[in-house]
mmCIF file of all heavy atoms in Angstrom:
data_model
loop_
_atom_site.group_PDB
_atom_site.id
_atom_site.type_symbol
_atom_site.label_atom_id
_atom_site.label_comp_id
_atom_site.label_asym_id
_atom_site.label_seq_id
_atom_site.Cartn_x
_atom_site.Cartn_y
_atom_site.Cartn_z
ATOM 1 N N GLU A 5 60.009 18.299 -3.902
ATOM 2 C CA GLU A 5 59.861 17.846 -5.294
ATOM 3 C C GLU A 5 59.211 16.462 -5.346
ATOM 4 O O GLU A 5 58.377 16.158 -6.199
ATOM 5 C CB GLU A 5 61.233 17.810 -5.958
ATOM 6 C CG GLU A 5 61.183 17.407 -7.429
ATOM 7 C CD GLU A 5 62.559 17.398 -8.049
ATOM 8 O OE1 GLU A 5 63.535 17.685 -7.336
ATOM 9 O OE2 GLU A 5 62.651 17.068 -9.259
ATOM 10 N N PHE A 6 59.574 15.590 -4.409
ATOM 11 C CA PHE A 6 59.007 14.236 -4.375
ATOM 12 C C PHE A 6 57.501 14.284 -4.147
ATOM 13 O O PHE A 6 56.724 13.626 -4.822
ATOM 14 C CB PHE A 6 59.697 13.434 -3.238
ATOM 15 C CG PHE A 6 59.055 12.091 -3.032
ATOM 16 C CD1 PHE A 6 59.298 11.032 -3.904
ATOM 17 C CD2 PHE A 6 58.189 11.878 -1.953
ATOM 18 C CE1 PHE A 6 58.705 9.786 -3.689
ATOM 19 C CE2 PHE A 6 57.604 10.654 -1.749
ATOM 20 C CZ PHE A 6 57.872 9.603 -2.618
ATOM 21 N N HIS A 7 57.061 15.139 -3.208
ATOM 22 C CA HIS A 7 55.620 15.238 -2.897
ATOM 23 C C HIS A 7 54.859 15.823 -4.081
ATOM 24 O O HIS A 7 53.709 15.434 -4.353
ATOM 25 C CB HIS A 7 55.423 16.105 -1.655
ATOM 26 C CG HIS A 7 55.774 15.398 -0.376
ATOM 27 N ND1 HIS A 7 55.123 14.271 0.039
ATOM 28 C CD2 HIS A 7 56.729 15.665 0.579
ATOM 29 C CE1 HIS A 7 55.649 13.855 1.185
ATOM 30 N NE2 HIS A 7 56.628 14.687 1.544
ATOM 31 N N VAL A 8 55.451 16.785 -4.810
ATOM 32 C CA VAL A 8 54.796 17.370 -5.985
ATOM 33 C C VAL A 8 54.581 16.335 -7.054
ATOM 34 O O VAL A 8 53.501 16.203 -7.651
ATOM 35 C CB VAL A 8 55.616 18.557 -6.534
ATOM 36 C CG1 VAL A 8 55.063 18.992 -7.902
ATOM 37 C CG2 VAL A 8 55.581 19.730 -5.564
ATOM 38 N N ARG A 9 55.612 15.516 -7.325
ATOM 39 C CA ARG A 9 55.485 14.489 -8.364
ATOM 40 C C ARG A 9 54.445 13.451 -7.980
ATOM 41 O O ARG A 9 53.679 12.945 -8.808
ATOM 42 C CB ARG A 9 56.841 13.813 -8.592
ATOM 43 C CG ARG A 9 57.851 14.734 -9.280
ATOM 44 C CD ARG A 9 59.101 13.979 -9.650
ATOM 45 N NE ARG A 9 60.041 14.819 -10.360
ATOM 46 C CZ ARG A 9 61.201 14.392 -10.863
ATOM 47 N NH1 ARG A 9 61.553 13.111 -10.713
ATOM 48 N NH2 ARG A 9 61.998 15.217 -11.507
ATOM 49 N N ARG A 10 54.418 13.083 -6.703
ATOM 50 C CA ARG A 10 53.415 12.104 -6.260
ATOM 51 C C ARG A 10 52.015 12.669 -6.419
ATOM 52 O O ARG A 10 51.070 11.975 -6.781
ATOM 53 C CB ARG A 10 53.685 11.705 -4.800
ATOM 54 C CG ARG A 10 52.789 10.562 -4.338
ATOM 55 C CD ARG A 10 53.247 9.988 -3.010
ATOM 56 N NE ARG A 10 53.169 10.994 -1.956
ATOM 57 C CZ ARG A 10 53.463 10.746 -0.677
ATOM 58 N NH1 ARG A 10 53.910 9.539 -0.334
ATOM 59 N NH2 ARG A 10 53.368 11.693 0.219
ATOM 60 N N TRP A 11 51.878 13.982 -6.145
ATOM 61 C CA TRP A 11 50.563 14.636 -6.282
ATOM 62 C C TRP A 11 50.129 14.642 -7.748
ATOM 63 O O TRP A 11 48.981 14.361 -8.080
ATOM 64 C CB TRP A 11 50.674 16.056 -5.750
ATOM 65 C CG TRP A 11 49.384 16.829 -5.913
ATOM 66 C CD1 TRP A 11 48.283 16.782 -5.138
ATOM 67 C CD2 TRP A 11 49.073 17.785 -6.947
ATOM 68 N NE1 TRP A 11 47.316 17.617 -5.607
ATOM 69 C CE2 TRP A 11 47.766 18.244 -6.730
ATOM 70 C CE3 TRP A 11 49.818 18.273 -8.031
ATOM 71 C CZ2 TRP A 11 47.169 19.182 -7.556
ATOM 72 C CZ3 TRP A 11 49.194 19.203 -8.853
ATOM 73 C CH2 TRP A 11 47.889 19.651 -8.628
ATOM 74 N N VAL A 12 51.064 14.957 -8.652
ATOM 75 C CA VAL A 12 50.748 14.964 -10.086
ATOM 76 C C VAL A 12 50.341 13.574 -10.552
ATOM 77 O O VAL A 12 49.381 13.396 -11.314
ATOM 78 C CB VAL A 12 51.973 15.477 -10.888
ATOM 79 C CG1 VAL A 12 51.722 15.285 -12.395
ATOM 80 C CG2 VAL A 12 52.240 16.933 -10.593
ATOM 81 N N ALA A 13 51.066 12.558 -10.088
ATOM 82 C CA ALA A 13 50.737 11.187 -10.490
ATOM 83 C C ALA A 13 49.348 10.808 -10.028
ATOM 84 O O ALA A 13 48.579 10.158 -10.743
ATOM 85 C CB ALA A 13 51.778 10.217 -9.926
ATOM 86 N N THR A 14 49.012 11.223 -8.806
ATOM 87 C CA THR A 14 47.682 10.913 -8.269
ATOM 88 C C THR A 14 46.585 11.551 -9.094
ATOM 89 O O THR A 14 45.559 10.942 -9.415
ATOM 90 C CB THR A 14 47.571 11.408 -6.822
ATOM 91 O OG1 THR A 14 48.597 10.792 -6.027
ATOM 92 C CG2 THR A 14 46.196 11.069 -6.240
ATOM 93 N N VAL A 15 46.813 12.800 -9.520
ATOM 94 C CA VAL A 15 45.832 13.529 -10.347
ATOM 95 C C VAL A 15 45.650 12.820 -11.678
ATOM 96 O O VAL A 15 44.522 12.664 -12.175
ATOM 97 C CB VAL A 15 46.271 14.997 -10.550
ATOM 98 C CG1 VAL A 15 45.383 15.675 -11.613
ATOM 99 C CG2 VAL A 15 46.208 15.759 -9.250
ATOM 100 N N VAL A 16 46.741 12.365 -12.277
ATOM 101 C CA VAL A 16 46.659 11.686 -13.565
ATOM 102 C C VAL A 16 45.834 10.396 -13.470
ATOM 103 O O VAL A 16 44.995 10.076 -14.316
ATOM 104 C CB VAL A 16 48.073 11.372 -14.113
ATOM 105 C CG1 VAL A 16 47.986 10.463 -15.340
ATOM 106 C CG2 VAL A 16 48.790 12.660 -14.458
ATOM 107 N N VAL A 17 46.095 9.608 -12.418
ATOM 108 C CA VAL A 17 45.352 8.367 -12.208
ATOM 109 C C VAL A 17 43.869 8.638 -12.026
ATOM 110 O O VAL A 17 43.006 7.983 -12.606
ATOM 111 C CB VAL A 17 45.924 7.588 -10.996
ATOM 112 C CG1 VAL A 17 45.007 6.404 -10.680
ATOM 113 C CG2 VAL A 17 47.334 7.126 -11.286
ATOM 114 N N LEU A 18 43.553 9.637 -11.192
ATOM 115 C CA LEU A 18 42.138 9.972 -10.967
ATOM 116 C C LEU A 18 41.474 10.429 -12.241
ATOM 117 O O LEU A 18 40.316 10.093 -12.522
ATOM 118 C CB LEU A 18 42.034 11.076 -9.890
ATOM 119 C CG LEU A 18 42.335 10.647 -8.445
ATOM 120 C CD1 LEU A 18 42.329 11.842 -7.506
ATOM 121 C CD2 LEU A 18 41.299 9.597 -7.975
ATOM 122 N N ALA A 19 42.177 11.219 -13.026
ATOM 123 C CA ALA A 19 41.613 11.705 -14.286
ATOM 124 C C ALA A 19 41.335 10.549 -15.233
ATOM 125 O O ALA A 19 40.316 10.524 -15.937
ATOM 126 C CB ALA A 19 42.576 12.707 -14.938
ATOM 127 N N ALA A 20 42.239 9.567 -15.240
ATOM 128 C CA ALA A 20 42.035 8.412 -16.116
ATOM 129 C C ALA A 20 40.804 7.623 -15.711
ATOM 130 O O ALA A 20 40.019 7.165 -16.527
ATOM 131 C CB ALA A 20 43.288 7.505 -16.099
#
Side-chain angles (χ1 to χ4, degrees):
E5 183 180 0
F6 174 77
H7 285 298
V8 169
R9 290 188 177 183
R10 187 169 62 178
W11 177 80
V12 171
T14 302
V15 170
V16 171
V17 172
L18 288 174

